[in-house]
Amino acid sequence: MKVKEVDRTANIAWSPQSQVPIYLAAGTAAQQLDASFSTNSNLEIYGLNLSESGHDMPCLASLPVDQRFHKVVWGASGMAEGTTPAGLIVGGADRGMISMYDANKLIKGEEDALVFSKDKHTGPVSALDFNPFQSNLLASGGSESELYIWDVNKLGTPMTPGAKSQPLDDVRCVAWNRQVQHILASTFSSRCVVWDLRKNDPIIKVSDSTSRMRCKVVAWHPDVATQLCIASEDDHTPVIQIWDLRLASSPLKTLEGHTKGVLSVAWCQADSDLLLSCGKDNRILVWNPNSGPGEIVAELPTSNQWSFDVSWCPRNPAIISSASFDGRVSLYSLMGGQQQVQPSNSVSDSFGPGLGEVAGQPQHTPQVTCQLKSPPKWLRRPCGATFGFGGQLVSFETVAGVGGAPSKPAVYISSVVTEPELVEASSKLETSLREGNLGDFCQAKLATLGEDGDKSKLWQFIGASFGENCDQQFLKLLGINLDELSSQLKALLEPVKENGIEDEVIEKVADLEVTEASDEFEMIAAQAVAAPEEVPAEAEAPALTTLDQVFSLSKDPTSDQGQLTIALLAGDIELAVDLAIKQNRFAEALILSIRGGQELLLKTQALYFQKAASEDKDVSSVALVEAVAMGSWEKLVEHCGLDSWREVLAALVTYTDSNTKQVLSGRLADRLSADGGDNVVNGLLCYMVAGDLEKVVTSWLGVVGQVGSPASL
């Protein structure tokens, strides 16, 4: 998306990466005329503020100069020392002229902004580049294969990297290596020469004898020291060749996308997967030169004129600049979006309306579409880390490739132990989970905690939940022993022996006097012993009922007995039940309702419990009877006193099914937790019976009062 625009035909240079805010230098381009045919030349500085709306960029400084520029660069020389706080702007012009300007003085409008000017070269100076490692070193190139290395701290006589390259030719471009500070590349129309400044001699000449390419520009790979790209401006071979100096017999790959000669390339220093190019076909392409044969990942269609210079913003690599022959410097954002390009109207302004249009040529407004296929590297996280369960730390980073190999992500898993006891307990738990012996784990935990305390109670309930008869274990932990209680109740139902009366009779019989008449009885007893006769044991007489006695039925409608008799003789069981209830004879009513069916039985039971609730006496046991008989377990949980929580929980465990037990145990636990105090622990045990582990953990953290501590875990 286009973000800013300046109406200038100019060579441009971005301010150094360390410069804040971002500036853009524009020097009037040589051998070009605008629509007004002006011959003036200026060096201007524009400010970039992306937060401001509109495409206009404010001009912060404008300095008239005597010559027009073939090349403009902006270096960081003097910024660290403070001699030139905003760096140094260098321009190459006609007649071998090199001019250097103090950017800070230029911005402030001071008159002595020009630092140095000299016509050392022969012919125009169209090749300039600052050393990225030693910002005081500047390489320049002119006609007749002239190459000079300038030390801007000691301006005087520059040095040469070696003998002039033969045959003599114009130096089209120079570029310092991005990894090795003493390596310099220079391009001529038919070749690219790489220099080693330590030896003052060229180390290799790169040329493709199989093609007719005319070298225009060269750019080094940002990460791989031995790789560079060379662009051809020949319309017959509009290609970009990627070379590796270790295999300099032929190009590593050839990028074919332009239909006419390539005029400029720029390799992104923040992401080596992005290469920018512009050409005579009015196209600006963004390549990924590292993917297979090289693919086009984005395109910026321009207006109806060529773009002759493109570059990346060093501080904000998402912004790129392009200078075109239609008199515009355009800034684009690679973060996506669409923006219509406004056609240039400078010709129309000078010659009048309509004269800016070319007859027979369709006038259209191209769309600027820019969206990368993958996020650039400067948006990617270079490293990161996250903690996992059991003290595991997972981290990742991008590891640079060795010997020119691409970078690869690396993932590391390590252990960070700050609580050895916690890690040991965690390992034991993992082992128990894996082997399935959770009961043994709970027993071992209880052995360390002892038998008393809230923690022990909780672990007893947890261990019981893993047993075979968990309901029986829950009842036992609640202090309810069903076998013992049943034995006690059965003993209460046995008839009471009247021991006192029996002893008294025995005593009186022993005091009786023995008379002669008693001898007859002794004889009878002796005969009975001599001739024993089996006498069948007398069968226990059954208890008598009302039908075993003489009775008479009354049909008197005025008496209670008569009313009930009439209803039964009429066969109206329901009426008989109603009469019995009215007469407060609930025993007869319940017995008769069994004969009348399930619906009548339930109705009678409900009326009985309503009658019991209305009486002013203790009905606690009747409430439990109602819950057992009617299945009203929800009412039992909602209205019971919290001091009876154990008995209510035991009733739920004894009588209800699994789902009902879990739901109602949870409700009982909610009531206990809301009450606070000691009932919070009681509610925790109810949550355990309910199987609600989430609330078990929440309640437990509330009990221990140390959220996030090893003890709470």
Side-chain angles (χ1 to χ4, degrees), residues 442-443 445-464 477 681 684-685 688 700 703:
C442 295
Q443 293 299 322
K445 193 71 175 179
L446 282 171
T448 60
L449 295 175
E451 297 295 332
D452 299 328
D454 297 335
K455 294 183 180 180
S456 297
K457 292 180 181 179
L458 175 62
W459 279 104
Q460 287 173 1
F461 273 78
I462 294 175
L477 293 173
V681 178
L684 177 61
L685 302 180
M688 196 64 233
W700 179 247
V703 170

PDB file of all heavy atoms in Angstrom, residues 442-443 445-464 477 681 684-685 688 700 703:
ATOM      1  N   CYS A 442      -2.632 -43.290  47.689  1.00  0.00           N
ATOM      2  CA  CYS A 442      -3.379 -42.624  48.759  1.00  0.00           C
ATOM      3  C   CYS A 442      -2.968 -43.161  50.129  1.00  0.00           C
ATOM      4  O   CYS A 442      -2.842 -42.396  51.101  1.00  0.00           O
ATOM      5  CB  CYS A 442      -4.871 -42.805  48.542  1.00  0.00           C
ATOM      6  SG  CYS A 442      -5.507 -42.007  47.037  1.00  0.00           S
ATOM      7  N   GLN A 443      -2.743 -44.476  50.244  1.00  0.00           N
ATOM      8  CA  GLN A 443      -2.320 -45.044  51.512  1.00  0.00           C
ATOM      9  C   GLN A 443      -0.942 -44.522  51.918  1.00  0.00           C
ATOM     10  O   GLN A 443      -0.683 -44.235  53.096  1.00  0.00           O
ATOM     11  CB  GLN A 443      -2.295 -46.578  51.420  1.00  0.00           C
ATOM     12  CG  GLN A 443      -3.671 -47.205  51.266  1.00  0.00           C
ATOM     13  CD  GLN A 443      -4.586 -46.894  52.447  1.00  0.00           C
ATOM     14  OE1 GLN A 443      -4.144 -46.850  53.607  1.00  0.00           O
ATOM     15  NE2 GLN A 443      -5.868 -46.677  52.157  1.00  0.00           N
ATOM     16  N   LYS A 445       0.258 -41.647  51.074  1.00  0.00           N
ATOM     17  CA  LYS A 445       0.052 -40.259  51.475  1.00  0.00           C
ATOM     18  C   LYS A 445      -0.477 -40.181  52.902  1.00  0.00           C
ATOM     19  O   LYS A 445      -0.051 -39.334  53.699  1.00  0.00           O
ATOM     20  CB  LYS A 445      -0.926 -39.600  50.499  1.00  0.00           C
ATOM     21  CG  LYS A 445      -0.993 -38.092  50.600  1.00  0.00           C
ATOM     22  CD  LYS A 445       0.268 -37.450  50.068  1.00  0.00           C
ATOM     23  CE  LYS A 445       0.154 -35.939  50.057  1.00  0.00           C
ATOM     24  NZ  LYS A 445       1.376 -35.290  49.558  1.00  0.00           N
ATOM     25  N   LEU A 446      -1.405 -41.072  53.249  1.00  0.00           N
ATOM     26  CA  LEU A 446      -1.957 -41.097  54.601  1.00  0.00           C
ATOM     27  C   LEU A 446      -0.887 -41.472  55.628  1.00  0.00           C
ATOM     28  O   LEU A 446      -0.906 -40.989  56.762  1.00  0.00           O
ATOM     29  CB  LEU A 446      -3.122 -42.085  54.676  1.00  0.00           C
ATOM     30  CG  LEU A 446      -4.460 -41.593  54.104  1.00  0.00           C
ATOM     31  CD1 LEU A 446      -5.454 -42.730  54.046  1.00  0.00           C
ATOM     32  CD2 LEU A 446      -5.006 -40.447  54.944  1.00  0.00           C
ATOM     33  N   ALA A 447       0.030 -42.326  55.220  1.00  0.00           N
ATOM     34  CA  ALA A 447       1.077 -42.737  56.150  1.00  0.00           C
ATOM     35  C   ALA A 447       1.973 -41.570  56.544  1.00  0.00           C
ATOM     36  O   ALA A 447       2.490 -41.514  57.660  1.00  0.00           O
ATOM     37  CB  ALA A 447       1.920 -43.854  55.529  1.00  0.00           C
ATOM     38  N   THR A 448       2.143 -40.621  55.622  1.00  0.00           N
ATOM     39  CA  THR A 448       2.974 -39.451  55.934  1.00  0.00           C
ATOM     40  C   THR A 448       2.202 -38.377  56.690  1.00  0.00           C
ATOM     41  O   THR A 448       2.802 -37.572  57.410  1.00  0.00           O
ATOM     42  CB  THR A 448       3.530 -38.850  54.632  1.00  0.00           C
ATOM     43  OG1 THR A 448       2.439 -38.458  53.780  1.00  0.00           O
ATOM     44  CG2 THR A 448       4.389 -39.869  53.905  1.00  0.00           C
ATOM     45  N   LEU A 449       0.864 -38.359  56.538  1.00  0.00           N
ATOM     46  CA  LEU A 449       0.061 -37.316  57.172  1.00  0.00           C
ATOM     47  C   LEU A 449      -0.444 -37.713  58.546  1.00  0.00           C
ATOM     48  O   LEU A 449      -0.774 -36.847  59.362  1.00  0.00           O
ATOM     49  CB  LEU A 449      -1.134 -36.962  56.277  1.00  0.00           C
ATOM     50  CG  LEU A 449      -0.818 -36.327  54.924  1.00  0.00           C
ATOM     51  CD1 LEU A 449      -2.085 -36.145  54.115  1.00  0.00           C
ATOM     52  CD2 LEU A 449      -0.112 -34.989  55.101  1.00  0.00           C
ATOM     53  N   GLY A 450      -0.563 -39.001  58.824  1.00  0.00           N
ATOM     54  CA  GLY A 450      -1.158 -39.442  60.081  1.00  0.00           C
ATOM     55  C   GLY A 450      -2.659 -39.613  59.936  1.00  0.00           C
ATOM     56  O   GLY A 450      -3.223 -39.542  58.842  1.00  0.00           O
ATOM     57  N   GLU A 451      -3.333 -39.839  61.058  1.00  0.00           N
ATOM     58  CA  GLU A 451      -4.764 -40.126  61.032  1.00  0.00           C
ATOM     59  C   GLU A 451      -5.637 -38.918  61.325  1.00  0.00           C
ATOM     60  O   GLU A 451      -6.835 -38.952  61.106  1.00  0.00           O
ATOM     61  CB  GLU A 451      -5.091 -41.235  62.053  1.00  0.00           C
ATOM     62  CG  GLU A 451      -4.428 -42.559  61.756  1.00  0.00           C
ATOM     63  CD  GLU A 451      -4.930 -43.170  60.456  1.00  0.00           C
ATOM     64  OE1 GLU A 451      -6.082 -42.893  60.084  1.00  0.00           O
ATOM     65  OE2 GLU A 451      -4.169 -43.918  59.819  1.00  0.00           O
ATOM     66  N   ASP A 452      -5.070 -37.865  61.863  1.00  0.00           N
ATOM     67  CA  ASP A 452      -5.864 -36.708  62.253  1.00  0.00           C
ATOM     68  C   ASP A 452      -5.647 -35.562  61.267  1.00  0.00           C
ATOM     69  O   ASP A 452      -4.663 -35.526  60.535  1.00  0.00           O
ATOM     70  CB  ASP A 452      -5.485 -36.244  63.670  1.00  0.00           C
ATOM     71  CG  ASP A 452      -5.745 -37.329  64.709  1.00  0.00           C
ATOM     72  OD1 ASP A 452      -6.700 -38.104  64.489  1.00  0.00           O
ATOM     73  OD2 ASP A 452      -4.992 -37.399  65.701  1.00  0.00           O
ATOM     74  N   GLY A 453      -6.583 -34.620  61.314  1.00  0.00           N
ATOM     75  CA  GLY A 453      -6.446 -33.431  60.494  1.00  0.00           C
ATOM     76  C   GLY A 453      -7.312 -33.482  59.255  1.00  0.00           C
ATOM     77  O   GLY A 453      -7.777 -34.542  58.810  1.00  0.00           O
ATOM     78  N   ASP A 454      -7.543 -32.297  58.708  1.00  0.00           N
ATOM     79  CA  ASP A 454      -8.392 -32.171  57.521  1.00  0.00           C
ATOM     80  C   ASP A 454      -7.767 -32.850  56.304  1.00  0.00           C
ATOM     81  O   ASP A 454      -8.466 -33.446  55.482  1.00  0.00           O
ATOM     82  CB  ASP A 454      -8.635 -30.689  57.222  1.00  0.00           C
ATOM     83  CG  ASP A 454      -9.401 -29.998  58.350  1.00  0.00           C
ATOM     84  OD1 ASP A 454     -10.124 -30.706  59.072  1.00  0.00           O
ATOM     85  OD2 ASP A 454      -9.266 -28.767  58.490  1.00  0.00           O
ATOM     86  N   LYS A 455      -6.431 -32.746  56.174  1.00  0.00           N
ATOM     87  CA  LYS A 455      -5.776 -33.376  55.033  1.00  0.00           C
ATOM     88  C   LYS A 455      -5.958 -34.885  55.054  1.00  0.00           C
ATOM     89  O   LYS A 455      -6.199 -35.505  54.008  1.00  0.00           O
ATOM     90  CB  LYS A 455      -4.295 -33.028  55.021  1.00  0.00           C
ATOM     91  CG  LYS A 455      -3.988 -31.552  54.791  1.00  0.00           C
ATOM     92  CD  LYS A 455      -2.496 -31.310  54.731  1.00  0.00           C
ATOM     93  CE  LYS A 455      -2.187 -29.835  54.488  1.00  0.00           C
ATOM     94  NZ  LYS A 455      -0.736 -29.581  54.424  1.00  0.00           N
ATOM     95  N   SER A 456      -5.872 -35.470  56.241  1.00  0.00           N
ATOM     96  CA  SER A 456      -6.054 -36.919  56.341  1.00  0.00           C
ATOM     97  C   SER A 456      -7.475 -37.315  55.958  1.00  0.00           C
ATOM     98  O   SER A 456      -7.684 -38.319  55.259  1.00  0.00           O
ATOM     99  CB  SER A 456      -5.742 -37.383  57.765  1.00  0.00           C
ATOM    100  OG  SER A 456      -4.393 -37.125  58.094  1.00  0.00           O
ATOM    101  N   LYS A 457      -8.462 -36.549  56.432  1.00  0.00           N
ATOM    102  CA  LYS A 457      -9.850 -36.854  56.069  1.00  0.00           C
ATOM    103  C   LYS A 457     -10.029 -36.835  54.556  1.00  0.00           C
ATOM    104  O   LYS A 457     -10.662 -37.727  53.975  1.00  0.00           O
ATOM    105  CB  LYS A 457     -10.791 -35.840  56.717  1.00  0.00           C
ATOM    106  CG  LYS A 457     -10.878 -35.950  58.238  1.00  0.00           C
ATOM    107  CD  LYS A 457     -11.843 -34.908  58.780  1.00  0.00           C
ATOM    108  CE  LYS A 457     -11.919 -34.979  60.305  1.00  0.00           C
ATOM    109  NZ  LYS A 457     -12.834 -33.943  60.849  1.00  0.00           N
ATOM    110  N   LEU A 458      -9.475 -35.801  53.934  1.00  0.00           N
ATOM    111  CA  LEU A 458      -9.615 -35.701  52.483  1.00  0.00           C
ATOM    112  C   LEU A 458      -8.981 -36.893  51.781  1.00  0.00           C
ATOM    113  O   LEU A 458      -9.578 -37.497  50.892  1.00  0.00           O
ATOM    114  CB  LEU A 458      -8.981 -34.396  51.993  1.00  0.00           C
ATOM    115  CG  LEU A 458      -8.953 -34.201  50.470  1.00  0.00           C
ATOM    116  CD1 LEU A 458     -10.370 -34.171  49.916  1.00  0.00           C
ATOM    117  CD2 LEU A 458      -8.205 -32.936  50.094  1.00  0.00           C
ATOM    118  N   TRP A 459      -7.750 -37.258  52.191  1.00  0.00           N
ATOM    119  CA  TRP A 459      -7.078 -38.373  51.523  1.00  0.00           C
ATOM    120  C   TRP A 459      -7.766 -39.699  51.820  1.00  0.00           C
ATOM    121  O   TRP A 459      -7.722 -40.616  50.994  1.00  0.00           O
ATOM    122  CB  TRP A 459      -5.613 -38.421  51.942  1.00  0.00           C
ATOM    123  CG  TRP A 459      -4.777 -37.434  51.171  1.00  0.00           C
ATOM    124  CD1 TRP A 459      -4.290 -36.250  51.599  1.00  0.00           C
ATOM    125  CD2 TRP A 459      -4.374 -37.571  49.809  1.00  0.00           C
ATOM    126  NE1 TRP A 459      -3.601 -35.615  50.599  1.00  0.00           N
ATOM    127  CE2 TRP A 459      -3.627 -36.418  49.485  1.00  0.00           C
ATOM    128  CE3 TRP A 459      -4.555 -38.536  48.830  1.00  0.00           C
ATOM    129  CZ2 TRP A 459      -3.077 -36.207  48.227  1.00  0.00           C
ATOM    130  CZ3 TRP A 459      -4.009 -38.334  47.583  1.00  0.00           C
ATOM    131  CH2 TRP A 459      -3.282 -37.187  47.284  1.00  0.00           C
ATOM    132  N   GLN A 460      -8.425 -39.827  52.988  1.00  0.00           N
ATOM    133  CA  GLN A 460      -9.202 -41.031  53.253  1.00  0.00           C
ATOM    134  C   GLN A 460     -10.368 -41.150  52.279  1.00  0.00           C
ATOM    135  O   GLN A 460     -10.656 -42.232  51.753  1.00  0.00           O
ATOM    136  CB  GLN A 460      -9.708 -41.009  54.697  1.00  0.00           C
ATOM    137  CG  GLN A 460      -8.628 -41.260  55.738  1.00  0.00           C
ATOM    138  CD  GLN A 460      -9.124 -41.072  57.153  1.00  0.00           C
ATOM    139  OE1 GLN A 460     -10.306 -40.767  57.364  1.00  0.00           O
ATOM    140  NE2 GLN A 460      -8.241 -41.237  58.127  1.00  0.00           N
ATOM    141  N   PHE A 461     -11.040 -40.023  52.020  1.00  0.00           N
ATOM    142  CA  PHE A 461     -12.153 -40.042  51.065  1.00  0.00           C
ATOM    143  C   PHE A 461     -11.650 -40.273  49.648  1.00  0.00           C
ATOM    144  O   PHE A 461     -12.296 -40.971  48.855  1.00  0.00           O
ATOM    145  CB  PHE A 461     -12.936 -38.731  51.150  1.00  0.00           C
ATOM    146  CG  PHE A 461     -14.024 -38.735  52.196  1.00  0.00           C
ATOM    147  CD1 PHE A 461     -13.731 -38.561  53.534  1.00  0.00           C
ATOM    148  CD2 PHE A 461     -15.348 -38.937  51.832  1.00  0.00           C
ATOM    149  CE1 PHE A 461     -14.713 -38.573  54.503  1.00  0.00           C
ATOM    150  CE2 PHE A 461     -16.346 -38.955  52.787  1.00  0.00           C
ATOM    151  CZ  PHE A 461     -16.034 -38.770  54.126  1.00  0.00           C
ATOM    152  N   ILE A 462     -10.493 -39.684  49.316  1.00  0.00           N
ATOM    153  CA  ILE A 462      -9.940 -39.914  47.974  1.00  0.00           C
ATOM    154  C   ILE A 462      -9.599 -41.390  47.791  1.00  0.00           C
ATOM    155  O   ILE A 462      -9.896 -41.998  46.753  1.00  0.00           O
ATOM    156  CB  ILE A 462      -8.692 -39.034  47.753  1.00  0.00           C
ATOM    157  CG1 ILE A 462      -9.086 -37.557  47.738  1.00  0.00           C
ATOM    158  CG2 ILE A 462      -8.006 -39.403  46.438  1.00  0.00           C
ATOM    159  CD1 ILE A 462      -7.901 -36.618  47.643  1.00  0.00           C
ATOM    160  N   GLY A 463      -8.959 -41.987  48.808  1.00  0.00           N
ATOM    161  CA  GLY A 463      -8.627 -43.408  48.715  1.00  0.00           C
ATOM    162  C   GLY A 463      -9.859 -44.280  48.626  1.00  0.00           C
ATOM    163  O   GLY A 463      -9.874 -45.284  47.898  1.00  0.00           O
ATOM    164  N   ALA A 464     -10.918 -43.898  49.364  1.00  0.00           N
ATOM    165  CA  ALA A 464     -12.153 -44.689  49.319  1.00  0.00           C
ATOM    166  C   ALA A 464     -12.790 -44.648  47.937  1.00  0.00           C
ATOM    167  O   ALA A 464     -13.405 -45.622  47.495  1.00  0.00           O
ATOM    168  CB  ALA A 464     -13.134 -44.176  50.371  1.00  0.00           C
ATOM    169  N   LEU A 477     -16.373 -44.012  56.810  1.00  0.00           N
ATOM    170  CA  LEU A 477     -15.644 -42.788  57.131  1.00  0.00           C
ATOM    171  C   LEU A 477     -16.540 -41.739  57.762  1.00  0.00           C
ATOM    172  O   LEU A 477     -16.064 -40.877  58.513  1.00  0.00           O
ATOM    173  CB  LEU A 477     -14.991 -42.222  55.857  1.00  0.00           C
ATOM    174  CG  LEU A 477     -13.864 -43.066  55.255  1.00  0.00           C
ATOM    175  CD1 LEU A 477     -13.417 -42.489  53.924  1.00  0.00           C
ATOM    176  CD2 LEU A 477     -12.683 -43.132  56.219  1.00  0.00           C
ATOM    177  N   VAL A 681     -14.607 -27.638  55.347  1.00  0.00           N
ATOM    178  CA  VAL A 681     -13.957 -28.954  55.222  1.00  0.00           C
ATOM    179  C   VAL A 681     -14.999 -30.035  55.014  1.00  0.00           C
ATOM    180  O   VAL A 681     -14.803 -30.963  54.210  1.00  0.00           O
ATOM    181  CB  VAL A 681     -13.109 -29.244  56.471  1.00  0.00           C
ATOM    182  CG1 VAL A 681     -12.479 -30.629  56.376  1.00  0.00           C
ATOM    183  CG2 VAL A 681     -12.036 -28.183  56.641  1.00  0.00           C
ATOM    184  N   LEU A 684     -15.994 -29.997  51.569  1.00  0.00           N
ATOM    185  CA  LEU A 684     -14.943 -30.593  50.744  1.00  0.00           C
ATOM    186  C   LEU A 684     -15.115 -32.103  50.647  1.00  0.00           C
ATOM    187  O   LEU A 684     -14.969 -32.699  49.570  1.00  0.00           O
ATOM    188  CB  LEU A 684     -13.588 -30.228  51.337  1.00  0.00           C
ATOM    189  CG  LEU A 684     -12.336 -30.801  50.670  1.00  0.00           C
ATOM    190  CD1 LEU A 684     -12.239 -30.320  49.236  1.00  0.00           C
ATOM    191  CD2 LEU A 684     -11.091 -30.396  51.443  1.00  0.00           C
ATOM    192  N   LEU A 685     -15.476 -32.754  51.774  1.00  0.00           N
ATOM    193  CA  LEU A 685     -15.690 -34.202  51.760  1.00  0.00           C
ATOM    194  C   LEU A 685     -16.911 -34.564  50.934  1.00  0.00           C
ATOM    195  O   LEU A 685     -16.928 -35.581  50.233  1.00  0.00           O
ATOM    196  CB  LEU A 685     -15.846 -34.707  53.198  1.00  0.00           C
ATOM    197  CG  LEU A 685     -14.666 -34.426  54.137  1.00  0.00           C
ATOM    198  CD1 LEU A 685     -14.943 -34.987  55.520  1.00  0.00           C
ATOM    199  CD2 LEU A 685     -13.372 -35.004  53.577  1.00  0.00           C
ATOM    200  N   MET A 688     -16.061 -34.538  47.408  1.00  0.00           N
ATOM    201  CA  MET A 688     -15.314 -35.741  47.065  1.00  0.00           C
ATOM    202  C   MET A 688     -16.268 -36.881  46.752  1.00  0.00           C
ATOM    203  O   MET A 688     -16.065 -37.632  45.792  1.00  0.00           O
ATOM    204  CB  MET A 688     -14.398 -36.105  48.234  1.00  0.00           C
ATOM    205  CG  MET A 688     -13.308 -37.096  47.872  1.00  0.00           C
ATOM    206  SD  MET A 688     -12.149 -36.469  46.675  1.00  0.00           S
ATOM    207  CE  MET A 688     -12.203 -37.778  45.460  1.00  0.00           C
ATOM    208  N   TRP A 700     -10.107 -26.899  48.458  1.00  0.00           N
ATOM    209  CA  TRP A 700      -8.879 -27.241  49.157  1.00  0.00           C
ATOM    210  C   TRP A 700      -7.914 -26.056  49.197  1.00  0.00           C
ATOM    211  O   TRP A 700      -7.269 -25.787  50.213  1.00  0.00           O
ATOM    212  CB  TRP A 700      -8.226 -28.437  48.473  1.00  0.00           C
ATOM    213  CG  TRP A 700      -6.934 -28.832  49.122  1.00  0.00           C
ATOM    214  CD1 TRP A 700      -5.688 -28.757  48.599  1.00  0.00           C
ATOM    215  CD2 TRP A 700      -6.779 -29.351  50.443  1.00  0.00           C
ATOM    216  NE1 TRP A 700      -4.757 -29.195  49.482  1.00  0.00           N
ATOM    217  CE2 TRP A 700      -5.403 -29.565  50.640  1.00  0.00           C
ATOM    218  CE3 TRP A 700      -7.662 -29.651  51.472  1.00  0.00           C
ATOM    219  CZ2 TRP A 700      -4.901 -30.065  51.822  1.00  0.00           C
ATOM    220  CZ3 TRP A 700      -7.151 -30.146  52.650  1.00  0.00           C
ATOM    221  CH2 TRP A 700      -5.792 -30.348  52.814  1.00  0.00           C
ATOM    222  N   VAL A 703      -8.945 -23.840  51.834  1.00  0.00           N
ATOM    223  CA  VAL A 703      -8.665 -24.350  53.182  1.00  0.00           C
ATOM    224  C   VAL A 703      -7.203 -24.111  53.556  1.00  0.00           C
ATOM    225  O   VAL A 703      -6.889 -23.607  54.639  1.00  0.00           O
ATOM    226  CB  VAL A 703      -9.011 -25.850  53.270  1.00  0.00           C
ATOM    227  CG1 VAL A 703      -8.499 -26.433  54.574  1.00  0.00           C
ATOM    228  CG2 VAL A 703     -10.516 -26.044  53.155  1.00  0.00           C
TER     229      VAL A 703
END
